[in-house]
Amino acid sequence: MGPGPGLGAPLYAPAAAVAFLLELCALAALGYWGAVAGHGAWAYVLAALTPLVAVVIWGTFASPRAPIRLATVPKVALRLSVLLGGAVALAVAGPTWLAVTLAVVILGDEVALVALGRPVAGAS
């Protein structure tokens, strides 16, 4: 089910593309946090494990083909938790201005997707 006809329909594809890029940014931010937070070998472990845990959670509950189907509201909440978790991790490990920018773009894109009538793909 896509967005309905009208002015918003052509805007859905760019908003969905931005959402995908934000997912990648959140994973990168989580990996960066792991690399900065860890020391020695732990830096490598955390840099790999932190985004991997997020990917498993995302793939299980938030992806369009997730084996566990959630209703729209819990799915949006989970997606925002993972994405904004990346922004928080970046704020802890890196430049605060970049983390705030990431959080603002995440929230703006989510508002746009909700306004277009399709906040998440695959919600039941």
Side-chain angles (χ1 to χ4, degrees):
M1 169 181 216
L7 187 58
L11 299 177
Y12 176 74
V18 168
F20 176 70
L21 293 174
L22 290 170
E23 293 163 14
L24 297 177
C25 288
L27 293 175
L30 289 167
Y32 179 70
W33 171 83
V36 170
H39 299 289
W42 273 111
Y44 295 103
V45 171
L46 286 174
L49 196 57
T50 307
L52 179 62
V53 168
V55 165
V56 169
I57 291 169
W58 193 274
T60 303
F61 300 102
S63 75
R65 294 187 183 116
I68 299 176
R69 310 281 288 184
L70 297 177
T72 300
V73 172
K75 192 167 187 175
V76 169
L78 178 68
R79 287 173 44 86
L80 284 175
S81 296
V82 172
L83 293 172
L84 292 174
V88 169
L90 185 58
V92 170
T96 304
W97 70 268
L98 188 56
V100 170
T101 302
L102 178 60
V104 167
V105 175
I106 288 167
L107 292 173
D109 190 61
E110 194 63 36
V111 166
L113 289 170
V114 168
L116 292 170
R118 184 140 181 215
V120 291
S124 54

